[in-house]
């Protein structure tokens, strides 16, 4: 039984996703002791490649997706099932900070596929769960996905491909904004379709995905590459003034939403 | 600039409630245990139930796991595992909580 992590990383004019993936792969090796496969393109790969990679898979990315800050190459995640060389795979977003060995618990779960359905924001607890739209489902999260090579997991990824290719149609039905493709939304729909519009709790990772979101800064407390202590600082607006608040987190994974913050952490 | 200086210069206040919330997230996740084909929470309720439900000679018991699946388990074995996890995780939680209290 082989196990490993797969990362998708395609550089955009604004952000270097390969560097983010490299940082994440090093932490995967350190905290999880798992091999990592990267799915990327020739344009993103540096001339000298790092030996952290178990496999480097080159694909031609779909560059037809734009966010407010520019080109965002995030389509094609459905290929993870066919491209993964492992029997049991964790598919991670490159901006997920592996900061403990918690993800290994996913392999103990008796399910072929799971992802996060609940999230929380560090320093901003109680934020409501995101909905696809007011009258639609709560969003699932493609940030961390565990799957086993199985008929069911294959069907979910095939359905993810179908949703991606007909995204505008699903956006019309569920009343969300189509021009920006989001894997989270596509996964939400794909999993529901495969499960007959019923969502079993065994599809879900039984702890919350923790985000570092807007108005937040994050700093490494020590220069050691694998130190697990970070300070999270939050701009709390009160009576028209910002009051800085902070906490210290240790031995716990989190997802950094603003890419600039993630790149700051890498460069510290 | 190191983090301590940064906190001082920014006149940042330690966010006690957020820290408490973070500890809850962190340690509740650590209380999850995969054992005997089910996923369990090593919490007070589960441990109490396992303790008060001896089940005759073979010591087997059917229990709902965190995914709402009924699972046939070896009661003593599961109880022993969950007690061990509970003790170690709660000790860590308590120590970190005490540190946090000192920051008030």
């Amino acid at each position: 039984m082989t196990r490993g992590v797969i990362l998708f990383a395609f550089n955009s004019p604004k952000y270097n996703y390969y560097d983010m993936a490299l940082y994440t792969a090093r932490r995967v090796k350190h905290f999880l002791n798992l091999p990592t496969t990267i799915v990327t393109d020739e344009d993103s790969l540096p001339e000298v490649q790092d030996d952290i990679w178990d496999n480097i898979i080159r694909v031609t990315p779909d560059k037809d997706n734009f966010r407010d800050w520019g080109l965002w190459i995030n389509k094609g995640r459905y290929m993870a099932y066919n491209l993964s060389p492992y029997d049991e795979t964790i598919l991670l977003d490159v901006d997920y900070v592996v900061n403990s060995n918690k993800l290994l618990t996913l392999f103990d779960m008796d399910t072929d596929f799971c992802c996060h359905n609940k999230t929380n924001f560090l320093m901003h607890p109680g934020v409501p769960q995101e909905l696809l739209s007011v009258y639609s489902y709560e969003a699932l999260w493609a940030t961390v996905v565990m799957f086993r090579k199985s008929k069911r997991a294959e069907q979910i990824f095939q359905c993810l491909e179908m949703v991606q290719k007909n995204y505008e149609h699903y956006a019309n039905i569920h009343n969300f904004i189509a021009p920006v493709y989001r894997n989270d939304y596509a996964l939400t729909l794909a999993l529901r379709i495969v499960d007959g519009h019923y969502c079993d709790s065994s599809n879900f990772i039984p702890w919350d995905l923790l985000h570092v979101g807007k108005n937040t800064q994050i700093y490494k407390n020590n220069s050691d590459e694998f130190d697990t202590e970070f300070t999270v600082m939050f701009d709390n607006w009160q009576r028209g003034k910002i009051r800085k608040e902070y906490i210290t987190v240790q031995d716990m994974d989190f997802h950094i939403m603003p890419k600039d913050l993630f790149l700051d952490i890498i460069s510290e | 600039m190191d983090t301590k200086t940064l906190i001082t210069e920014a006149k940042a206040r330690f966010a006690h409630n957020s820290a408490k919330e973070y500890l809850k997230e962190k340690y509740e996740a650590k209380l999850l245990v995969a054992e005997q084909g089910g996923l369990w929470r090593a919490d007070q309720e589960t441990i109490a139930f396992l303790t008060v439900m001896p089940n005759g000679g073979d010591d087997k018991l059917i229990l709902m796991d965190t995914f709402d699946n009924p699972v046939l388990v070896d009661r003593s074995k599961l109880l022993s595992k969950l007690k061990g996890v509970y003790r170690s995780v709660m000790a860590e939680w308590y120590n970190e909580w005490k540190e946090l209290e000192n920051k008030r």
Side-chain angles (χ1 to χ4, degrees), chain A residues 102 108-109 120 125 201 204 206 208 219-221 231 243-250 252, chain B residues 3 6-7 10-15 18-19 21-22 25-26 29-30 32 34 37 39 67 103:
Chain A
K102 189 68 205 163
D108 295 332
M109 287 173 57
N120 219 333
S201 59
F204 305 133
D208 293 352
Y219 307 97
K220 277 163 72 172
N221 281 12
T231 293
R243 192 168 68 174
K244 293 261 186 201
E245 295 181 344
Y246 77 96
I247 61 169
T248 306
V249 297
Q250 196 174 16
M252 195 168 76
Chain B
T3 318
L6 199 82
I7 289 166
K11 294 179 183 162
R13 191 180 67 96
F14 184 73
S18 296
E21 199 64 35
Y22 139 74
E25 290 279 0
K26 175 176 166 179
K30 286 188 175 195
L32 290 163
L39 191 75
F67 290 146
K103 288 187 177 177

mmCIF file of all heavy atoms in Angstrom, chain A residues 102 108-109 120 125 201 204 206 208 219-221 231 243-250 252, chain B residues 3 6-7 10-15 18-19 21-22 25-26 29-30 32 34 37 39 67 103:
data_model
loop_
_atom_site.group_PDB
_atom_site.id
_atom_site.type_symbol
_atom_site.label_atom_id
_atom_site.label_comp_id
_atom_site.label_asym_id
_atom_site.label_seq_id
_atom_site.Cartn_x
_atom_site.Cartn_y
_atom_site.Cartn_z
ATOM 1 N N LYS A 102 -0.915 15.620 12.058
ATOM 2 C CA LYS A 102 -2.357 15.358 12.129
ATOM 3 C C LYS A 102 -2.910 14.710 10.863
ATOM 4 O O LYS A 102 -3.813 13.866 10.918
ATOM 5 C CB LYS A 102 -3.083 16.685 12.407
ATOM 6 C CG LYS A 102 -4.556 16.560 12.716
ATOM 7 C CD LYS A 102 -4.794 15.890 14.037
ATOM 8 C CE LYS A 102 -6.161 15.231 14.087
ATOM 9 N NZ LYS A 102 -6.282 14.251 15.167
ATOM 10 N N ASP A 108 -6.256 6.619 8.565
ATOM 11 C CA ASP A 108 -6.922 5.677 9.480
ATOM 12 C C ASP A 108 -8.429 5.681 9.274
ATOM 13 O O ASP A 108 -9.135 4.854 9.842
ATOM 14 C CB ASP A 108 -6.645 6.062 10.948
ATOM 15 C CG ASP A 108 -5.182 5.930 11.306
ATOM 16 O OD1 ASP A 108 -4.499 5.091 10.682
ATOM 17 O OD2 ASP A 108 -4.720 6.669 12.195
ATOM 18 N N MET A 109 -8.916 6.628 8.506
ATOM 19 C CA MET A 109 -10.368 6.745 8.347
ATOM 20 C C MET A 109 -10.882 5.723 7.339
ATOM 21 O O MET A 109 -10.265 5.496 6.308
ATOM 22 C CB MET A 109 -10.740 8.171 7.912
ATOM 23 C CG MET A 109 -10.592 9.174 9.043
ATOM 24 S SD MET A 109 -10.815 10.877 8.529
ATOM 25 C CE MET A 109 -12.440 10.837 7.813
ATOM 26 N N ASN A 120 -12.927 27.346 10.205
ATOM 27 C CA ASN A 120 -12.917 28.387 11.216
ATOM 28 C C ASN A 120 -11.748 29.315 10.911
ATOM 29 O O ASN A 120 -10.786 28.887 10.277
ATOM 30 C CB ASN A 120 -12.753 27.764 12.606
ATOM 31 C CG ASN A 120 -13.612 28.477 13.628
ATOM 32 O OD1 ASN A 120 -13.932 29.663 13.476
ATOM 33 N ND2 ASN A 120 -13.982 27.767 14.675
ATOM 34 N N PRO A 125 -13.171 33.802 15.261
ATOM 35 C CA PRO A 125 -14.064 32.655 15.417
ATOM 36 C C PRO A 125 -15.521 33.024 15.177
ATOM 37 O O PRO A 125 -15.901 34.188 15.292
ATOM 38 C CB PRO A 125 -13.840 32.219 16.872
ATOM 39 C CG PRO A 125 -13.240 33.374 17.553
ATOM 40 C CD PRO A 125 -12.566 34.221 16.523
ATOM 41 N N SER A 201 -21.672 11.798 6.554
ATOM 42 C CA SER A 201 -20.629 12.443 7.369
ATOM 43 C C SER A 201 -19.255 11.809 7.174
ATOM 44 O O SER A 201 -18.240 12.440 7.460
ATOM 45 C CB SER A 201 -21.021 12.424 8.846
ATOM 46 O OG SER A 201 -21.207 11.100 9.272
ATOM 47 N N PHE A 204 -16.429 13.596 5.372
ATOM 48 C CA PHE A 204 -15.850 14.821 5.901
ATOM 49 C C PHE A 204 -14.756 14.562 6.939
ATOM 50 O O PHE A 204 -14.886 13.684 7.786
ATOM 51 C CB PHE A 204 -16.948 15.696 6.529
ATOM 52 C CG PHE A 204 -18.070 15.986 5.572
ATOM 53 C CD1 PHE A 204 -19.386 15.847 5.957
ATOM 54 C CD2 PHE A 204 -17.792 16.364 4.265
ATOM 55 C CE1 PHE A 204 -20.410 16.090 5.061
ATOM 56 C CE2 PHE A 204 -18.810 16.616 3.368
ATOM 57 C CZ PHE A 204 -20.122 16.470 3.756
ATOM 58 N N PRO A 206 -13.046 14.992 10.230
ATOM 59 C CA PRO A 206 -13.769 15.310 11.467
ATOM 60 C C PRO A 206 -13.136 16.397 12.342
ATOM 61 O O PRO A 206 -13.279 16.357 13.547
ATOM 62 C CB PRO A 206 -13.808 13.954 12.182
ATOM 63 C CG PRO A 206 -12.622 13.235 11.690
ATOM 64 C CD PRO A 206 -12.358 13.711 10.310
ATOM 65 N N ASP A 208 -11.995 20.864 12.053
ATOM 66 C CA ASP A 208 -12.176 22.051 11.204
ATOM 67 C C ASP A 208 -10.903 22.398 10.430
ATOM 68 O O ASP A 208 -9.788 22.194 10.924
ATOM 69 C CB ASP A 208 -12.535 23.269 12.069
ATOM 70 C CG ASP A 208 -13.893 23.125 12.723
ATOM 71 O OD1 ASP A 208 -14.605 22.167 12.393
ATOM 72 O OD2 ASP A 208 -14.233 23.984 13.556
ATOM 73 N N TYR A 219 3.480 35.447 11.551
ATOM 74 C CA TYR A 219 4.942 35.496 11.642
ATOM 75 C C TYR A 219 5.466 34.203 12.262
ATOM 76 O O TYR A 219 4.852 33.662 13.183
ATOM 77 C CB TYR A 219 5.381 36.660 12.540
ATOM 78 C CG TYR A 219 4.789 37.986 12.154
ATOM 79 C CD1 TYR A 219 3.649 38.466 12.798
ATOM 80 C CD2 TYR A 219 5.338 38.750 11.128
ATOM 81 C CE1 TYR A 219 3.084 39.678 12.445
ATOM 82 C CE2 TYR A 219 4.785 39.971 10.769
ATOM 83 C CZ TYR A 219 3.652 40.426 11.431
ATOM 84 O OH TYR A 219 3.095 41.624 11.077
ATOM 85 N N LYS A 220 6.604 33.752 11.740
ATOM 86 C CA LYS A 220 7.299 32.629 12.370
ATOM 87 C C LYS A 220 7.977 33.149 13.630
ATOM 88 O O LYS A 220 8.585 34.219 13.607
ATOM 89 C CB LYS A 220 8.372 32.091 11.431
ATOM 90 C CG LYS A 220 7.847 31.130 10.395
ATOM 91 C CD LYS A 220 8.819 30.942 9.268
ATOM 92 C CE LYS A 220 10.020 30.132 9.684
ATOM 93 N NZ LYS A 220 10.882 29.802 8.508
ATOM 94 N N ASN A 221 7.865 32.396 14.725
ATOM 95 C CA ASN A 221 8.485 32.859 15.967
ATOM 96 C C ASN A 221 9.979 32.573 16.024
ATOM 97 O O ASN A 221 10.705 33.199 16.783
ATOM 98 C CB ASN A 221 7.790 32.229 17.176
ATOM 99 C CG ASN A 221 6.490 32.931 17.479
ATOM 100 O OD1 ASN A 221 6.009 33.722 16.668
ATOM 101 N ND2 ASN A 221 5.915 32.654 18.628
ATOM 102 N N THR A 231 3.102 33.339 15.301
ATOM 103 C CA THR A 231 2.254 34.366 15.915
ATOM 104 C C THR A 231 1.276 34.878 14.861
ATOM 105 O O THR A 231 1.682 35.213 13.745
ATOM 106 C CB THR A 231 3.102 35.535 16.451
ATOM 107 O OG1 THR A 231 3.876 35.046 17.542
ATOM 108 C CG2 THR A 231 2.228 36.679 16.938
ATOM 109 N N ARG A 243 -7.323 47.893 16.613
ATOM 110 C CA ARG A 243 -6.608 47.405 17.791
ATOM 111 C C ARG A 243 -5.953 46.083 17.406
ATOM 112 O O ARG A 243 -6.627 45.154 16.969
ATOM 113 C CB ARG A 243 -7.584 47.196 18.945
ATOM 114 C CG ARG A 243 -6.852 46.975 20.252
ATOM 115 C CD ARG A 243 -7.779 47.049 21.420
ATOM 116 N NE ARG A 243 -8.703 45.904 21.409
ATOM 117 C CZ ARG A 243 -9.562 45.652 22.394
ATOM 118 N NH1 ARG A 243 -9.653 46.457 23.404
ATOM 119 N NH2 ARG A 243 -10.358 44.606 22.335
ATOM 120 N N LYS A 244 -4.640 46.028 17.534
ATOM 121 C CA LYS A 244 -3.898 44.813 17.165
ATOM 122 C C LYS A 244 -4.065 43.766 18.268
ATOM 123 O O LYS A 244 -3.865 44.074 19.448
ATOM 124 C CB LYS A 244 -2.412 45.114 17.002
ATOM 125 C CG LYS A 244 -2.102 46.023 15.823
ATOM 126 C CD LYS A 244 -1.648 45.213 14.646
ATOM 127 C CE LYS A 244 -1.204 46.104 13.512
ATOM 128 N NZ LYS A 244 -1.241 45.396 12.236
ATOM 129 N N GLU A 245 -4.419 42.558 17.847
ATOM 130 C CA GLU A 245 -4.527 41.458 18.805
ATOM 131 C C GLU A 245 -3.726 40.287 18.268
ATOM 132 O O GLU A 245 -3.576 40.150 17.052
ATOM 133 C CB GLU A 245 -5.994 41.040 18.959
ATOM 134 C CG GLU A 245 -6.849 42.133 19.567
ATOM 135 C CD GLU A 245 -8.297 41.708 19.732
ATOM 136 O OE1 GLU A 245 -8.696 40.704 19.104
ATOM 137 O OE2 GLU A 245 -9.012 42.391 20.477
ATOM 138 N N TYR A 246 -3.237 39.443 19.149
ATOM 139 C CA TYR A 246 -2.449 38.312 18.652
ATOM 140 C C TYR A 246 -2.672 37.060 19.484
ATOM 141 O O TYR A 246 -3.116 37.128 20.640
ATOM 142 C CB TYR A 246 -0.944 38.669 18.632
ATOM 143 C CG TYR A 246 -0.291 38.636 19.998
ATOM 144 C CD1 TYR A 246 0.400 37.496 20.430
ATOM 145 C CD2 TYR A 246 -0.378 39.714 20.863
ATOM 146 C CE1 TYR A 246 0.990 37.446 21.683
ATOM 147 C CE2 TYR A 246 0.204 39.664 22.120
ATOM 148 C CZ TYR A 246 0.883 38.530 22.522
ATOM 149 O OH TYR A 246 1.450 38.481 23.765
ATOM 150 N N ILE A 247 -2.372 35.936 18.861
ATOM 151 C CA ILE A 247 -2.271 34.674 19.596
ATOM 152 C C ILE A 247 -1.048 33.927 19.058
ATOM 153 O O ILE A 247 -0.512 34.283 17.995
ATOM 154 C CB ILE A 247 -3.524 33.761 19.453
ATOM 155 C CG1 ILE A 247 -3.775 33.366 17.991
ATOM 156 C CG2 ILE A 247 -4.746 34.381 20.059
ATOM 157 C CD1 ILE A 247 -4.811 32.264 17.832
ATOM 158 N N THR A 248 -0.637 32.914 19.778
ATOM 159 C CA THR A 248 0.464 32.068 19.314
ATOM 160 C C THR A 248 -0.095 30.675 19.035
ATOM 161 O O THR A 248 -0.841 30.142 19.859
ATOM 162 C CB THR A 248 1.554 31.974 20.403
ATOM 163 O OG1 THR A 248 1.921 33.302 20.754
ATOM 164 C CG2 THR A 248 2.769 31.233 19.892
ATOM 165 N N VAL A 249 0.225 30.144 17.887
ATOM 166 C CA VAL A 249 -0.239 28.787 17.572
ATOM 167 C C VAL A 249 0.974 27.871 17.447
ATOM 168 O O VAL A 249 2.042 28.294 17.014
ATOM 169 C CB VAL A 249 -1.090 28.715 16.279
ATOM 170 C CG1 VAL A 249 -2.354 29.510 16.421
ATOM 171 C CG2 VAL A 249 -0.312 29.171 15.064
ATOM 172 N N GLN A 250 0.749 26.632 17.819
ATOM 173 C CA GLN A 250 1.849 25.681 17.817
ATOM 174 C C GLN A 250 1.313 24.288 17.500
ATOM 175 O O GLN A 250 0.216 23.919 17.946
ATOM 176 C CB GLN A 250 2.500 25.673 19.208
ATOM 177 C CG GLN A 250 3.856 25.022 19.220
ATOM 178 C CD GLN A 250 4.537 25.149 20.573
ATOM 179 O OE1 GLN A 250 3.901 25.461 21.569
ATOM 180 N NE2 GLN A 250 5.827 24.902 20.602
ATOM 181 N N MET A 252 -0.099 22.957 15.043
ATOM 182 C CA MET A 252 -1.409 22.832 14.424
ATOM 183 C C MET A 252 -1.354 23.351 12.989
ATOM 184 O O MET A 252 -0.774 24.399 12.730
ATOM 185 C CB MET A 252 -2.455 23.597 15.225
ATOM 186 C CG MET A 252 -3.861 23.214 14.832
ATOM 187 S SD MET A 252 -5.069 23.846 15.977
ATOM 188 C CE MET A 252 -5.100 25.529 15.487
ATOM 189 N N THR B 3 9.603 38.487 16.757
ATOM 190 C CA THR B 3 8.154 38.577 16.980
ATOM 191 C C THR B 3 7.814 39.353 18.253
ATOM 192 O O THR B 3 6.857 40.115 18.279
ATOM 193 C CB THR B 3 7.545 37.167 17.055
ATOM 194 O OG1 THR B 3 8.139 36.386 16.040
ATOM 195 C CG2 THR B 3 6.058 37.191 16.840
ATOM 196 N N LEU B 6 8.055 42.942 17.641
ATOM 197 C CA LEU B 6 6.946 43.304 16.752
ATOM 198 C C LEU B 6 5.646 43.499 17.547
ATOM 199 O O LEU B 6 4.923 44.488 17.368
ATOM 200 C CB LEU B 6 6.768 42.169 15.734
ATOM 201 C CG LEU B 6 6.004 42.506 14.485
ATOM 202 C CD1 LEU B 6 6.940 43.187 13.502
ATOM 203 C CD2 LEU B 6 5.474 41.233 13.851
ATOM 204 N N ILE B 7 5.397 42.578 18.465
ATOM 205 C CA ILE B 7 4.190 42.650 19.299
ATOM 206 C C ILE B 7 4.225 43.911 20.157
ATOM 207 O O ILE B 7 3.235 44.625 20.281
ATOM 208 C CB ILE B 7 4.067 41.378 20.186
ATOM 209 C CG1 ILE B 7 3.709 40.168 19.319
ATOM 210 C CG2 ILE B 7 3.033 41.556 21.279
ATOM 211 C CD1 ILE B 7 3.894 38.841 19.996
ATOM 212 N N ALA B 10 3.824 47.076 17.975
ATOM 213 C CA ALA B 10 2.466 47.208 17.440
ATOM 214 C C ALA B 10 1.443 47.420 18.560
ATOM 215 O O ALA B 10 0.266 47.624 18.305
ATOM 216 C CB ALA B 10 2.098 45.965 16.640
ATOM 217 N N LYS B 11 1.939 47.382 19.809
ATOM 218 C CA LYS B 11 1.074 47.487 20.996
ATOM 219 C C LYS B 11 -0.071 46.482 20.912
ATOM 220 O O LYS B 11 -1.233 46.787 21.195
ATOM 221 C CB LYS B 11 0.526 48.903 21.145
ATOM 222 C CG LYS B 11 1.612 49.917 21.447
ATOM 223 C CD LYS B 11 1.028 51.307 21.565
ATOM 224 C CE LYS B 11 2.133 52.317 21.801
ATOM 225 N NZ LYS B 11 1.743 53.680 21.522
ATOM 226 N N ALA B 12 0.280 45.272 20.466
ATOM 227 C CA ALA B 12 -0.745 44.242 20.279
ATOM 228 C C ALA B 12 -1.126 43.618 21.618
ATOM 229 O O ALA B 12 -0.278 43.428 22.492
ATOM 230 C CB ALA B 12 -0.226 43.176 19.331
ATOM 231 N N ARG B 13 -2.390 43.320 21.726
ATOM 232 C CA ARG B 13 -2.929 42.747 22.958
ATOM 233 C C ARG B 13 -3.138 41.254 22.737
ATOM 234 O O ARG B 13 -3.584 40.839 21.660
ATOM 235 C CB ARG B 13 -4.281 43.413 23.245
ATOM 236 C CG ARG B 13 -4.872 43.149 24.598
ATOM 237 C CD ARG B 13 -6.210 43.894 24.711
ATOM 238 N NE ARG B 13 -7.191 43.336 23.795
ATOM 239 C CZ ARG B 13 -8.109 42.420 24.146
ATOM 240 N NH1 ARG B 13 -8.170 41.962 25.366
ATOM 241 N NH2 ARG B 13 -8.975 41.974 23.263
ATOM 242 N N PHE B 14 -2.827 40.458 23.750
ATOM 243 C CA PHE B 14 -3.051 39.025 23.617
ATOM 244 C C PHE B 14 -4.561 38.749 23.593
ATOM 245 O O PHE B 14 -5.288 39.199 24.480
ATOM 246 C CB PHE B 14 -2.401 38.272 24.783
ATOM 247 C CG PHE B 14 -2.512 36.794 24.664
ATOM 248 C CD1 PHE B 14 -1.751 36.100 23.736
ATOM 249 C CD2 PHE B 14 -3.389 36.087 25.459
ATOM 250 C CE1 PHE B 14 -1.857 34.728 23.609
ATOM 251 C CE2 PHE B 14 -3.511 34.714 25.347
ATOM 252 C CZ PHE B 14 -2.742 34.031 24.414
ATOM 253 N N ALA B 15 -5.025 38.052 22.569
ATOM 254 C CA ALA B 15 -6.466 37.809 22.408
ATOM 255 C C ALA B 15 -6.850 36.511 23.122
ATOM 256 O O ALA B 15 -6.768 35.423 22.555
ATOM 257 C CB ALA B 15 -6.818 37.731 20.931
ATOM 258 N N SER B 18 -9.721 34.294 21.602
ATOM 259 C CA SER B 18 -9.315 33.617 20.365
ATOM 260 C C SER B 18 -8.346 32.481 20.671
ATOM 261 O O SER B 18 -8.398 31.417 20.056
ATOM 262 C CB SER B 18 -8.636 34.596 19.412
ATOM 263 O OG SER B 18 -9.538 35.586 19.018
ATOM 264 N N ALA B 19 -7.473 32.716 21.644
ATOM 265 C CA ALA B 19 -6.507 31.679 22.018
ATOM 266 C C ALA B 19 -7.226 30.472 22.628
ATOM 267 O O ALA B 19 -6.879 29.320 22.358
ATOM 268 C CB ALA B 19 -5.495 32.249 22.998
ATOM 269 N N GLU B 21 -10.257 29.566 21.990
ATOM 270 C CA GLU B 21 -10.945 28.926 20.863
ATOM 271 C C GLU B 21 -9.968 28.065 20.045
ATOM 272 O O GLU B 21 -10.285 26.954 19.633
ATOM 273 C CB GLU B 21 -11.523 30.049 19.983
ATOM 274 C CG GLU B 21 -12.623 29.664 19.046
ATOM 275 C CD GLU B 21 -13.877 29.189 19.743
ATOM 276 O OE1 GLU B 21 -14.241 29.687 20.836
ATOM 277 O OE2 GLU B 21 -14.494 28.279 19.174
ATOM 278 N N TYR B 22 -8.766 28.612 19.849
ATOM 279 C CA TYR B 22 -7.741 27.884 19.094
ATOM 280 C C TYR B 22 -7.339 26.595 19.820
ATOM 281 O O TYR B 22 -7.188 25.530 19.216
ATOM 282 C CB TYR B 22 -6.538 28.806 18.834
ATOM 283 C CG TYR B 22 -5.195 28.171 18.982
ATOM 284 C CD1 TYR B 22 -4.711 27.288 18.020
ATOM 285 C CD2 TYR B 22 -4.387 28.433 20.094
ATOM 286 C CE1 TYR B 22 -3.475 26.683 18.173
ATOM 287 C CE2 TYR B 22 -3.161 27.835 20.248
ATOM 288 C CZ TYR B 22 -2.712 26.954 19.295
ATOM 289 O OH TYR B 22 -1.500 26.337 19.444
ATOM 290 N N GLU B 25 -9.995 23.966 19.263
ATOM 291 C CA GLU B 25 -9.867 23.381 17.918
ATOM 292 C C GLU B 25 -8.733 22.356 17.891
ATOM 293 O O GLU B 25 -8.876 21.257 17.374
ATOM 294 C CB GLU B 25 -9.557 24.474 16.878
ATOM 295 C CG GLU B 25 -10.690 25.424 16.586
ATOM 296 C CD GLU B 25 -11.694 24.853 15.596
ATOM 297 O OE1 GLU B 25 -11.502 23.720 15.134
ATOM 298 O OE2 GLU B 25 -12.695 25.557 15.330
ATOM 299 N N LYS B 26 -7.616 22.775 18.426
ATOM 300 C CA LYS B 26 -6.410 21.942 18.354
ATOM 301 C C LYS B 26 -6.580 20.632 19.120
ATOM 302 O O LYS B 26 -6.311 19.561 18.591
ATOM 303 C CB LYS B 26 -5.240 22.752 18.936
ATOM 304 C CG LYS B 26 -3.932 22.012 19.050
ATOM 305 C CD LYS B 26 -2.868 22.976 19.556
ATOM 306 C CE LYS B 26 -1.622 22.292 20.021
ATOM 307 N NZ LYS B 26 -0.605 23.248 20.469
ATOM 308 N N ALA B 29 -9.360 18.031 18.016
ATOM 309 C CA ALA B 29 -8.895 17.225 16.873
ATOM 310 C C ALA B 29 -7.980 16.108 17.351
ATOM 311 O O ALA B 29 -8.009 14.990 16.823
ATOM 312 C CB ALA B 29 -8.169 18.113 15.870
ATOM 313 N N LYS B 30 -7.194 16.398 18.379
ATOM 314 C CA LYS B 30 -6.266 15.383 18.886
ATOM 315 C C LYS B 30 -6.982 14.265 19.646
ATOM 316 O O LYS B 30 -6.413 13.206 19.871
ATOM 317 C CB LYS B 30 -5.222 16.027 19.802
ATOM 318 C CG LYS B 30 -4.177 16.828 19.045
ATOM 319 C CD LYS B 30 -3.069 17.273 19.976
ATOM 320 C CE LYS B 30 -1.956 17.964 19.188
ATOM 321 N NZ LYS B 30 -0.725 18.092 19.961
ATOM 322 N N LEU B 32 -9.467 12.666 18.590
ATOM 323 C CA LEU B 32 -10.040 11.694 17.648
ATOM 324 C C LEU B 32 -9.113 10.499 17.482
ATOM 325 O O LEU B 32 -7.910 10.650 17.290
ATOM 326 C CB LEU B 32 -10.271 12.356 16.288
ATOM 327 C CG LEU B 32 -11.390 13.386 16.249
ATOM 328 C CD1 LEU B 32 -11.273 14.257 15.010
ATOM 329 C CD2 LEU B 32 -12.745 12.698 16.288
ATOM 330 N N ALA B 34 -8.847 6.578 15.571
ATOM 331 C CA ALA B 34 -9.368 5.508 14.706
ATOM 332 C C ALA B 34 -8.965 4.185 15.334
ATOM 333 O O ALA B 34 -7.786 3.927 15.554
ATOM 334 C CB ALA B 34 -8.789 5.646 13.303
ATOM 335 N N GLY B 37 -12.013 -0.242 13.491
ATOM 336 C CA GLY B 37 -12.906 -0.011 12.353
ATOM 337 C C GLY B 37 -13.865 1.153 12.524
ATOM 338 O O GLY B 37 -14.786 1.337 11.727
ATOM 339 N N LEU B 39 -14.279 5.505 14.050
ATOM 340 C CA LEU B 39 -13.565 6.727 14.448
ATOM 341 C C LEU B 39 -14.221 7.247 15.715
ATOM 342 O O LEU B 39 -15.439 7.481 15.732
ATOM 343 C CB LEU B 39 -13.630 7.776 13.333
ATOM 344 C CG LEU B 39 -12.704 8.961 13.549
ATOM 345 C CD1 LEU B 39 -11.256 8.572 13.272
ATOM 346 C CD2 LEU B 39 -13.073 10.117 12.639
ATOM 347 N N PHE B 67 -18.988 8.906 12.820
ATOM 348 C CA PHE B 67 -19.644 8.996 11.517
ATOM 349 C C PHE B 67 -21.055 8.395 11.554
ATOM 350 O O PHE B 67 -21.643 8.101 10.512
ATOM 351 C CB PHE B 67 -18.823 8.266 10.456
ATOM 352 C CG PHE B 67 -17.527 8.956 10.120
ATOM 353 C CD1 PHE B 67 -16.406 8.218 9.783
ATOM 354 C CD2 PHE B 67 -17.430 10.331 10.114
ATOM 355 C CE1 PHE B 67 -15.213 8.842 9.460
ATOM 356 C CE2 PHE B 67 -16.238 10.962 9.797
ATOM 357 C CZ PHE B 67 -15.130 10.221 9.467
ATOM 358 N N LYS B 103 -1.029 34.684 30.897
ATOM 359 C CA LYS B 103 -0.876 35.864 30.038
ATOM 360 C C LYS B 103 -1.943 36.918 30.303
ATOM 361 O O LYS B 103 -1.946 37.971 29.687
ATOM 362 C CB LYS B 103 -0.928 35.448 28.562
ATOM 363 C CG LYS B 103 0.312 34.708 28.121
ATOM 364 C CD LYS B 103 0.303 34.456 26.639
ATOM 365 C CE LYS B 103 1.587 33.786 26.202
ATOM 366 N NZ LYS B 103 1.620 33.450 24.793
#
